[in-house]
Amino acid sequence: MKVLVIGSGAREHALCRSLSLDPAVTALHCAPGNAGIAEVAELHQVDALDGAAVSALAAELGADLVVVGPEAPLVAGVADALRAAGVPVFGPSKEAARLEGSKAFAKDVMAAAGVPTARSYVCTTPEEVGAALDAFGAPYVVKDDGLAAGKGVVVTDDIEAAEAHSAACDRVVIEEYLDGPEVSLFAVTDGETVVPLQPAQDFKRALDGDEGPNTGGMGAYSPLPWADPKLVDEVLHSVLQPTVDEMRRRGTPFSGLLYAGLALTSRGIRVIEFNARFGDPETQVVLARLQTPLAGVLMAAATGDLAHLEPLRWTDEAAVTVVVASHNYPGTPRTGDPITGLDEVAAQDAPHTYVLHAGTRREGDTVLSAGGRVLSVTATGKDLTEARDRAYTAVARVRLDGSQHRSDIAARAAADA
Ligand code: AMP
Ligand code: GLY
């Protein structure tokens, strides 16, 4: 099977790594990719938002399957262009990707499907914003309605900060504050059958102790030893399947990866958000534990054949990933700095520990930083303590001037396990 992956983050590196280990994959391509992905896939230049260009590349490569990693191409309709060209694609249509692309749309689908989520108001004027903030009280939760790479949400006790964020967005969703731990649960779906993966937990805030601004995610781990073993089943029946059924009922079936961001509140499970693609960095730990070869799973979703898929197999091992980010991330990051120590990780920590690249590029023999999140150092181990120790040992070998990472990824879960 010839596979083309679209994207250039650590999520795509994780996807490419798993696909490269799958004996069914005879050729692996990625566009645009990064310096790390180049080691497992052949890279191509393409405007990932241009459906015609991506379809032309898929045709030129004779791709049997295209996997679209990030949300922006999905929301731009790249999967539609590929389907129209007759290429099997893992990723939802433009209409279905609105589950991620518009928070107001997602709320509407959840209401219709009876899926539990935070109560909310969609607001466009300062008067509506004021009334909604008053109605819920602090802590205030204000979300930009459109795509914002995980950075469009402000959670604050400060009413002026809540008003300022609202004023900076065209349209916001203001909602009740959800307490309780967060869980990311992914499901692969062909629009009808829903196959949940293993849950993971992400660390959204920039700094240790969940301080600082929201980011795209600074680390993740899986499994969640503290979670109820029935959690996945409960989310499948109360969230994932009803949402997929509602999208099909609307004539816009959702096929690809449905990502449920959940809060386990004192009043039960609530959806914080949906995403229409694999999460980053959670994918790094979920795929580290998946034993079933990946290509067949994604192909079954792309071709409407998930009902016939064998149950997924998982290792009992734990996985932890720690994101190394550039100076000033999640603000405008500093880029162009050399990264060293990657060879040491490869020589001393493989195969249980490896570096997945995000914002990197190669210049001659040097790997340079090229984005906000630069690397995702991923490790497996017999439990979270071992996986975390291994990940941080490797993080310490990687040198990037001015870089930052959290030192408490999976710390509490490992200590409590
Ligand atoms: P989102 O982009 O909707 O996932 O929001 C980003 C992050 O903001 C989430 O992972 C939560 O940590 C936080 N957040 C979003 N909505 C709420 C809410 N209703 N209550 C508490 N925290 C929230
Ligand atoms: N880790 C959060 C996301 O992928 O949106």
Side-chain angles (χ1 to χ4, degrees), residues 357-414:
H357 291 224
T360 68
R361 65 188 171 83
R362 184 173 283 281
E363 220 175 76
D365 285 341
T366 316
V367 177
L368 300 174
S369 62
R373 290 188 292 178
V374 178
L375 304 164
S376 200
V377 179
T378 307
T380 53
K382 65 178 186 302
D383 54 20
L384 285 175
T385 300
E386 187 175 66
R388 149 167 228 285
D389 286 350
R390 287 171 163 179
Y392 278 108
T393 299
V395 167
R397 299 193 207 279
V398 175
R399 287 171 300 278
L400 166 63
D401 194 34
S403 72
Q404 41 165 333
H405 63 267
R406 280 183 62 158
S407 65
D408 62 348
I409 303 302
R412 210 163 68 202

Side-chain angles (χ1 to χ4, degrees), residues 2 25 34 58 70 96 105 109 137 187 192 201 205 237 244 301 343 371:
K2 294 181 191 156
V25 175
N34 60 39
F105 175 78
V109 171
E192 201 159 342
Q201 190 170 51
R205 300 284 189 141
H237 292 111
V244 167
D343 296 345

Side-chain angles (χ1 to χ4, degrees), residues 11 150 202 204 216-217 259 273 275 277-282 373:
R11 162 187 49 214
D202 180 19
K204 289 257 165 63
Y259 164 142
E273 64 162 349
N275 291 319
R277 36 96 194 153
F278 280 98
D280 190 344
E282 298 96 314
R373 290 188 292 178

Side-chain angles (χ1 to χ4, degrees), residues 273-336:
E273 64 162 349
F274 282 128
N275 291 319
R277 36 96 194 153
F278 280 98
D280 190 344
E282 298 96 314
T283 300
Q284 287 85 300
V285 290
V286 172
L287 293 186
R289 300 186 53 232
L290 179 66
Q291 284 185 311
T292 307
L294 183 62
V297 179
L298 304 183
M299 184 60 121
T303 53
D305 207 25
L306 272 183
H308 302 115
L309 191 74
E310 303 246 315
L312 298 180
R313 286 177 287 110
W314 300 93
T315 68
D316 290 335
E317 288 206 321
V320 171
T321 195
V322 178
V323 171
V324 176
S326 296
H327 181 70
N328 205 41
Y329 177 77
T332 308
R334 195 174 95 196
T335 59

Side-chain angles (χ1 to χ4, degrees), residues 132-133 136-142 154-159 162 174-179 205:
L133 294 175
F136 293 130
Y140 304 104
V141 181
V142 180
V154 167
V155 180
T156 176
D157 283 321
D158 177 355
I159 183 119
I174 292 180
E175 63 180 39
E176 71 179 314
Y177 178 78
L178 300 174
D179 62 354
R205 300 284 189 141

